[in-house]
Amino acid sequence: MKITRRTLKKIAIISSIAAVAFFVASLLFYGSSPDFDYLLIIAFTIGVAPPSFVTIIHNRWKNKIEKAMPEFLRDLATSIRTGVPIQTALEHSSKRMYGPLTTELKVLVAHMSWGLNFDEALTKLSDRVDLPLVKKATVLILEASRHGGDLSDIFNSTAQYVENVNAWSLRRKMQTLPYVAIFYFSVVLFLFIIILISKMIFVPISELAKSGVPLIRPILTSTDTRRVFLHTSLMESLFGGTLAGKINEDSFLGGLKHATILIIVSGVAFFVFFR
């Protein structure tokens, strides 16, 4: 499913407003309650989860388009090499199964039937799809065709270029997976350490202070300690998740899914061990 940048921005703005509204309402009605911390986790999830879900859907559509591009260009080159006119070759291609790209090709063929030439129709397709790889491929095709190159060779060369970029992107994702795992491990390790410290140090000190043992005065109560640690883990989950997406997918929005998972994990850990 194609999701435009404008739609993504609208969803991000709406979810952010909803998260702020939920946070303010929780602060007004449950600000002094120990459960306010868990409502804060819900507010974080409301703000992060919808853009994350939408980004996942858009990335799937984007990957299908980019994977289908080389096959489409090679099929187009083969048709032209056999002497078929470019418009006829595009009409045949628009009837084949290229996933979401087929829909865009049908629009391209419709534009050419209305009087647009190939260059104009291809430019419109590039603007409509609005993907960096498609725009680069379009520039290569248009510039080469303007200088009198053979279309079949141009399409074959562009297909090879797109394949190389796809292979490089896949290789980068595989090579950066360990760094994404490090962010997950750091959050889990942080949760383990603070749970251990709280159970072995802060909780016993608080109990001794309540029982009247002299010279034992905790700096923070158990509730304050839980709140400080929870807020710290939420910030680490949010920034760690977005950085993981930037490293692995070259997009901060791609890291929202990691941030959502880490925020939920942190909330469940605190609910289970600090309730």
Side-chain angles (χ1 to χ4, degrees), residues 119-164:
D119 291 358
E120 294 171 339
L122 187 61
T123 302
K124 284 186 174 294
L125 182 143
S126 175
D127 295 337
R128 191 168 57 252
V129 173
D130 195 21
L131 295 178
L133 185 57
V134 176
K135 287 183 177 293
K136 292 176 182 177
T138 301
V139 171
L140 287 175
I141 293 171
L142 295 179
E143 290 300 322
S145 62
R146 283 170 187 163
H147 291 81
D150 181 69
L151 280 178
S152 62
D153 293 336
I154 293 171
F155 290 138
N156 274 324
S157 300
T158 307
Q160 185 63 46
Y161 164 76
V162 174
E163 272 189 347
N164 291 338

Short mmCIF file of all heavy atoms in Angstrom, two decimals, residues 119-164:
data_model
loop_
_atom_site.label_atom_id
_atom_site.label_comp_id
_atom_site.label_asym_id
_atom_site.label_seq_id
_atom_site.Cartn_x
_atom_site.Cartn_y
_atom_site.Cartn_z
N ASP A 119 9.06 10.33 -22.29
CA ASP A 119 9.83 11.05 -21.27
C ASP A 119 8.92 11.72 -20.25
O ASP A 119 9.15 11.66 -19.03
CB ASP A 119 10.71 12.11 -21.93
CG ASP A 119 11.85 11.49 -22.74
OD1 ASP A 119 11.94 10.23 -22.75
OD2 ASP A 119 12.63 12.24 -23.36
N GLU A 120 7.86 12.37 -20.74
CA GLU A 120 6.93 13.05 -19.83
C GLU A 120 6.17 12.06 -18.95
O GLU A 120 6.00 12.28 -17.75
CB GLU A 120 5.94 13.89 -20.64
CG GLU A 120 6.59 15.06 -21.40
CD GLU A 120 5.64 15.74 -22.35
OE1 GLU A 120 4.63 15.10 -22.74
OE2 GLU A 120 5.89 16.91 -22.71
N ALA A 121 5.73 10.95 -19.56
CA ALA A 121 4.99 9.94 -18.79
C ALA A 121 5.88 9.29 -17.73
O ALA A 121 5.45 9.04 -16.60
CB ALA A 121 4.42 8.87 -19.72
N LEU A 122 7.14 9.04 -18.10
CA LEU A 122 8.07 8.43 -17.14
C LEU A 122 8.39 9.39 -16.00
O LEU A 122 8.52 8.98 -14.84
CB LEU A 122 9.36 8.02 -17.86
CG LEU A 122 10.38 7.22 -17.04
CD1 LEU A 122 9.76 5.91 -16.58
CD2 LEU A 122 11.64 6.97 -17.83
N THR A 123 8.51 10.67 -16.32
CA THR A 123 8.75 11.67 -15.27
C THR A 123 7.58 11.73 -14.31
O THR A 123 7.77 11.84 -13.08
CB THR A 123 9.00 13.05 -15.90
OG1 THR A 123 10.12 12.98 -16.79
CG2 THR A 123 9.27 14.09 -14.83
N LYS A 124 6.36 11.68 -14.85
CA LYS A 124 5.18 11.68 -13.99
C LYS A 124 5.14 10.44 -13.10
O LYS A 124 4.75 10.52 -11.92
CB LYS A 124 3.90 11.77 -14.84
CG LYS A 124 3.63 13.17 -15.39
CD LYS A 124 2.29 13.20 -16.09
CE LYS A 124 1.95 14.63 -16.52
NZ LYS A 124 1.73 15.53 -15.34
N LEU A 125 5.52 9.29 -13.65
CA LEU A 125 5.57 8.06 -12.85
C LEU A 125 6.57 8.22 -11.70
O LEU A 125 6.30 7.82 -10.56
CB LEU A 125 5.94 6.87 -13.72
CG LEU A 125 5.99 5.50 -13.02
CD1 LEU A 125 5.49 4.39 -13.95
CD2 LEU A 125 7.42 5.15 -12.57
N SER A 126 7.73 8.79 -12.01
CA SER A 126 8.75 8.99 -10.98
C SER A 126 8.25 9.91 -9.87
O SER A 126 8.47 9.65 -8.68
CB SER A 126 10.02 9.57 -11.61
OG SER A 126 10.98 9.89 -10.64
N ASP A 127 7.57 10.99 -10.24
CA ASP A 127 7.03 11.91 -9.24
C ASP A 127 5.91 11.28 -8.43
O ASP A 127 5.79 11.53 -7.22
CB ASP A 127 6.51 13.18 -9.93
CG ASP A 127 7.63 13.97 -10.59
OD1 ASP A 127 8.79 13.82 -10.18
OD2 ASP A 127 7.33 14.74 -11.54
N ARG A 128 5.13 10.45 -9.10
CA ARG A 128 4.01 9.81 -8.42
C ARG A 128 4.48 8.76 -7.41
O ARG A 128 3.98 8.69 -6.28
CB ARG A 128 3.09 9.19 -9.46
CG ARG A 128 1.74 8.72 -8.92
CD ARG A 128 0.78 8.38 -10.06
NE ARG A 128 1.33 7.35 -10.95
CZ ARG A 128 1.77 7.58 -12.19
NH1 ARG A 128 1.73 8.82 -12.68
NH2 ARG A 128 2.23 6.60 -12.94
N VAL A 129 5.44 7.94 -7.82
CA VAL A 129 5.97 6.91 -6.92
C VAL A 129 6.78 7.53 -5.80
O VAL A 129 6.71 7.11 -4.65
CB VAL A 129 6.82 5.90 -7.72
CG1 VAL A 129 7.51 4.92 -6.79
CG2 VAL A 129 5.93 5.13 -8.71
N ASP A 130 7.59 8.54 -6.14
CA ASP A 130 8.35 9.32 -5.16
C ASP A 130 9.27 8.45 -4.31
O ASP A 130 9.25 8.51 -3.07
CB ASP A 130 7.39 10.10 -4.26
CG ASP A 130 8.11 11.21 -3.49
OD1 ASP A 130 9.19 11.62 -3.93
OD2 ASP A 130 7.57 11.64 -2.45
N LEU A 131 10.08 7.63 -4.99
CA LEU A 131 11.10 6.83 -4.32
C LEU A 131 12.46 7.22 -4.87
O LEU A 131 12.62 7.39 -6.07
CB LEU A 131 10.86 5.34 -4.54
CG LEU A 131 9.58 4.74 -3.94
CD1 LEU A 131 9.46 3.27 -4.29
CD2 LEU A 131 9.55 4.94 -2.43
N PRO A 132 13.47 7.36 -4.02
CA PRO A 132 14.80 7.81 -4.49
C PRO A 132 15.37 6.91 -5.59
O PRO A 132 15.93 7.42 -6.57
CB PRO A 132 15.65 7.75 -3.22
CG PRO A 132 14.69 7.91 -2.11
CD PRO A 132 13.44 7.23 -2.56
N LEU A 133 15.25 5.60 -5.45
CA LEU A 133 15.82 4.70 -6.44
C LEU A 133 15.12 4.84 -7.79
O LEU A 133 15.76 4.82 -8.85
CB LEU A 133 15.74 3.25 -5.95
CG LEU A 133 16.40 2.20 -6.84
CD1 LEU A 133 17.87 2.53 -7.07
CD2 LEU A 133 16.26 0.82 -6.23
N VAL A 134 13.81 4.99 -7.79
CA VAL A 134 13.06 5.16 -9.03
C VAL A 134 13.42 6.48 -9.69
O VAL A 134 13.56 6.57 -10.91
CB VAL A 134 11.54 5.07 -8.76
CG1 VAL A 134 10.74 5.35 -10.03
CG2 VAL A 134 11.18 3.70 -8.21
N LYS A 135 13.60 7.53 -8.90
CA LYS A 135 13.99 8.83 -9.45
C LYS A 135 15.37 8.75 -10.11
O LYS A 135 15.60 9.31 -11.19
CB LYS A 135 13.99 9.89 -8.34
CG LYS A 135 12.59 10.31 -7.89
CD LYS A 135 12.68 11.41 -6.84
CE LYS A 135 11.29 11.88 -6.44
NZ LYS A 135 10.60 12.58 -7.54
N LYS A 136 16.31 8.05 -9.46
CA LYS A 136 17.65 7.91 -10.03
C LYS A 136 17.61 7.11 -11.33
O LYS A 136 18.27 7.47 -12.32
CB LYS A 136 18.57 7.23 -9.03
CG LYS A 136 18.87 8.08 -7.81
CD LYS A 136 19.72 7.31 -6.80
CE LYS A 136 19.97 8.14 -5.55
NZ LYS A 136 20.74 7.39 -4.53
N ALA A 137 16.82 6.04 -11.34
CA ALA A 137 16.69 5.24 -12.56
C ALA A 137 16.06 6.05 -13.68
O ALA A 137 16.46 5.95 -14.85
CB ALA A 137 15.86 3.98 -12.28
N THR A 138 15.08 6.87 -13.34
CA THR A 138 14.43 7.73 -14.34
C THR A 138 15.42 8.72 -14.95
O THR A 138 15.44 8.92 -16.16
CB THR A 138 13.25 8.47 -13.70
OG1 THR A 138 12.32 7.53 -13.18
CG2 THR A 138 12.56 9.36 -14.72
N VAL A 139 16.25 9.32 -14.11
CA VAL A 139 17.25 10.26 -14.61
C VAL A 139 18.22 9.56 -15.55
O VAL A 139 18.57 10.10 -16.62
CB VAL A 139 18.00 10.91 -13.43
CG1 VAL A 139 19.19 11.72 -13.94
CG2 VAL A 139 17.06 11.81 -12.64
N LEU A 140 18.65 8.37 -15.20
CA LEU A 140 19.57 7.62 -16.06
C LEU A 140 18.95 7.35 -17.42
O LEU A 140 19.58 7.54 -18.47
CB LEU A 140 19.96 6.30 -15.39
CG LEU A 140 20.93 6.38 -14.21
CD1 LEU A 140 21.09 5.00 -13.59
CD2 LEU A 140 22.28 6.92 -14.66
N ILE A 141 17.69 6.90 -17.42
CA ILE A 141 17.01 6.57 -18.68
C ILE A 141 16.82 7.81 -19.55
O ILE A 141 17.10 7.81 -20.76
CB ILE A 141 15.66 5.89 -18.38
CG1 ILE A 141 15.89 4.52 -17.72
CG2 ILE A 141 14.84 5.73 -19.66
CD1 ILE A 141 14.63 3.87 -17.21
N LEU A 142 16.35 8.89 -18.94
CA LEU A 142 16.05 10.10 -19.70
C LEU A 142 17.32 10.73 -20.28
O LEU A 142 17.34 11.14 -21.45
CB LEU A 142 15.31 11.11 -18.83
CG LEU A 142 13.91 10.69 -18.35
CD1 LEU A 142 13.30 11.78 -17.48
CD2 LEU A 142 13.00 10.39 -19.53
N GLU A 143 18.36 10.80 -19.46
CA GLU A 143 19.61 11.42 -19.94
C GLU A 143 20.25 10.60 -21.04
O GLU A 143 20.76 11.15 -22.03
CB GLU A 143 20.59 11.60 -18.77
CG GLU A 143 20.17 12.66 -17.76
CD GLU A 143 20.05 14.04 -18.39
OE1 GLU A 143 20.88 14.37 -19.26
OE2 GLU A 143 19.12 14.78 -18.01
N ALA A 144 20.23 9.27 -20.88
CA ALA A 144 20.83 8.42 -21.91
C ALA A 144 20.03 8.47 -23.21
O ALA A 144 20.61 8.51 -24.31
CB ALA A 144 20.91 6.98 -21.41
N SER A 145 18.71 8.50 -23.11
CA SER A 145 17.88 8.54 -24.33
C SER A 145 18.00 9.88 -25.05
O SER A 145 17.92 9.94 -26.28
CB SER A 145 16.42 8.26 -23.98
OG SER A 145 15.91 9.25 -23.11
N ARG A 146 18.22 10.96 -24.31
CA ARG A 146 18.37 12.28 -24.93
C ARG A 146 19.65 12.37 -25.76
O ARG A 146 19.74 13.15 -26.70
CB ARG A 146 18.38 13.37 -23.86
CG ARG A 146 17.00 13.68 -23.30
CD ARG A 146 17.08 14.57 -22.10
NE ARG A 146 15.77 14.75 -21.46
CZ ARG A 146 15.59 15.21 -20.24
NH1 ARG A 146 16.66 15.55 -19.51
NH2 ARG A 146 14.38 15.32 -19.73
N HIS A 147 20.66 11.58 -25.39
CA HIS A 147 21.92 11.61 -26.11
C HIS A 147 21.99 10.52 -27.19
O HIS A 147 23.08 10.18 -27.67
CB HIS A 147 23.09 11.45 -25.13
CG HIS A 147 23.28 12.64 -24.24
ND1 HIS A 147 22.54 12.84 -23.09
CD2 HIS A 147 24.13 13.71 -24.33
CE1 HIS A 147 22.92 13.96 -22.51
NE2 HIS A 147 23.87 14.52 -23.24
N GLY A 148 20.86 9.97 -27.54
CA GLY A 148 20.79 9.06 -28.67
C GLY A 148 21.21 7.63 -28.39
O GLY A 148 21.60 6.91 -29.31
N GLY A 149 21.15 7.18 -27.14
CA GLY A 149 21.52 5.80 -26.83
C GLY A 149 20.44 4.82 -27.26
O GLY A 149 19.27 5.18 -27.44
N ASP A 150 20.84 3.57 -27.42
CA ASP A 150 19.89 2.51 -27.77
C ASP A 150 19.04 2.19 -26.53
O ASP A 150 19.58 1.91 -25.45
CB ASP A 150 20.65 1.26 -28.24
CG ASP A 150 19.70 0.16 -28.64
OD1 ASP A 150 19.01 0.31 -29.66
OD2 ASP A 150 19.62 -0.84 -27.90
N LEU A 151 17.71 2.22 -26.70
CA LEU A 151 16.82 2.05 -25.56
C LEU A 151 16.98 0.70 -24.87
O LEU A 151 16.94 0.61 -23.64
CB LEU A 151 15.36 2.25 -26.00
CG LEU A 151 14.88 3.70 -26.15
CD1 LEU A 151 13.44 3.73 -26.63
CD2 LEU A 151 15.01 4.45 -24.83
N SER A 152 17.17 -0.36 -25.64
CA SER A 152 17.31 -1.69 -25.03
C SER A 152 18.56 -1.75 -24.15
O SER A 152 18.53 -2.30 -23.04
CB SER A 152 17.37 -2.76 -26.12
OG SER A 152 18.48 -2.58 -26.96
N ASP A 153 19.66 -1.17 -24.63
CA ASP A 153 20.89 -1.13 -23.82
C ASP A 153 20.71 -0.24 -22.59
O ASP A 153 21.22 -0.55 -21.50
CB ASP A 153 22.06 -0.61 -24.65
CG ASP A 153 22.46 -1.58 -25.76
OD1 ASP A 153 22.15 -2.79 -25.61
OD2 ASP A 153 23.04 -1.13 -26.76
N ILE A 154 19.99 0.86 -22.78
CA ILE A 154 19.74 1.77 -21.65
C ILE A 154 18.94 1.06 -20.56
O ILE A 154 19.29 1.13 -19.37
CB ILE A 154 19.01 3.03 -22.13
CG1 ILE A 154 19.90 3.86 -23.05
CG2 ILE A 154 18.54 3.87 -20.94
CD1 ILE A 154 19.19 5.00 -23.73
N PHE A 155 17.89 0.36 -20.97
CA PHE A 155 17.06 -0.34 -19.98
C PHE A 155 17.84 -1.46 -19.30
O PHE A 155 17.70 -1.67 -18.09
CB PHE A 155 15.80 -0.88 -20.65
CG PHE A 155 14.82 0.18 -21.04
CD1 PHE A 155 14.16 0.12 -22.27
CD2 PHE A 155 14.55 1.26 -20.22
CE1 PHE A 155 13.26 1.11 -22.65
CE2 PHE A 155 13.65 2.25 -20.58
CZ PHE A 155 13.01 2.17 -21.81
N ASN A 156 18.65 -2.19 -20.04
CA ASN A 156 19.46 -3.25 -19.44
C ASN A 156 20.47 -2.69 -18.44
O ASN A 156 20.66 -3.24 -17.35
CB ASN A 156 20.19 -4.04 -20.53
CG ASN A 156 19.34 -5.16 -21.10
OD1 ASN A 156 18.57 -5.79 -20.37
ND2 ASN A 156 19.46 -5.42 -22.39
N SER A 157 21.12 -1.60 -18.81
CA SER A 157 22.10 -0.98 -17.91
C SER A 157 21.43 -0.45 -16.65
O SER A 157 21.96 -0.59 -15.53
CB SER A 157 22.83 0.15 -18.64
OG SER A 157 23.51 -0.32 -19.77
N THR A 158 20.27 0.17 -16.82
CA THR A 158 19.54 0.69 -15.66
C THR A 158 19.08 -0.44 -14.75
O THR A 158 19.11 -0.32 -13.52
CB THR A 158 18.34 1.54 -16.11
OG1 THR A 158 18.77 2.54 -17.03
CG2 THR A 158 17.67 2.20 -14.92
N ALA A 159 18.64 -1.55 -15.36
CA ALA A 159 18.23 -2.71 -14.57
C ALA A 159 19.40 -3.24 -13.73
O ALA A 159 19.23 -3.60 -12.56
CB ALA A 159 17.69 -3.81 -15.48
N GLN A 160 20.58 -3.28 -14.34
CA GLN A 160 21.76 -3.72 -13.61
C GLN A 160 22.09 -2.77 -12.46
O GLN A 160 22.46 -3.21 -11.36
CB GLN A 160 22.96 -3.82 -14.57
CG GLN A 160 24.22 -4.39 -13.94
CD GLN A 160 24.02 -5.82 -13.48
OE1 GLN A 160 23.47 -6.65 -14.19
NE2 GLN A 160 24.48 -6.11 -12.26
N TYR A 161 21.93 -1.48 -12.72
CA TYR A 161 22.20 -0.48 -11.67
C TYR A 161 21.23 -0.66 -10.50
O TYR A 161 21.65 -0.65 -9.33
CB TYR A 161 22.08 0.92 -12.26
CG TYR A 161 21.96 2.01 -11.22
CD1 TYR A 161 23.07 2.44 -10.51
CD2 TYR A 161 20.72 2.60 -10.95
CE1 TYR A 161 22.96 3.43 -9.55
CE2 TYR A 161 20.60 3.59 -9.99
CZ TYR A 161 21.72 4.00 -9.29
OH TYR A 161 21.60 4.98 -8.33
N VAL A 162 19.94 -0.83 -10.80
CA VAL A 162 18.93 -0.99 -9.75
C VAL A 162 19.21 -2.27 -8.95
O VAL A 162 19.10 -2.29 -7.72
CB VAL A 162 17.51 -1.01 -10.35
CG1 VAL A 162 16.48 -1.34 -9.27
CG2 VAL A 162 17.19 0.33 -10.99
N GLU A 163 19.59 -3.34 -9.65
CA GLU A 163 19.92 -4.59 -8.96
C GLU A 163 21.09 -4.41 -8.02
O GLU A 163 21.11 -4.94 -6.90
CB GLU A 163 20.21 -5.69 -9.98
CG GLU A 163 18.99 -6.47 -10.42
CD GLU A 163 19.37 -7.68 -11.26
OE1 GLU A 163 20.54 -7.77 -11.70
OE2 GLU A 163 18.49 -8.52 -11.47
N ASN A 164 22.10 -3.69 -8.48
CA ASN A 164 23.28 -3.45 -7.63
C ASN A 164 22.92 -2.65 -6.38
O ASN A 164 23.40 -2.94 -5.28
CB ASN A 164 24.36 -2.72 -8.43
CG ASN A 164 24.98 -3.59 -9.51
OD1 ASN A 164 24.93 -4.82 -9.43
ND2 ASN A 164 25.56 -2.96 -10.53
#
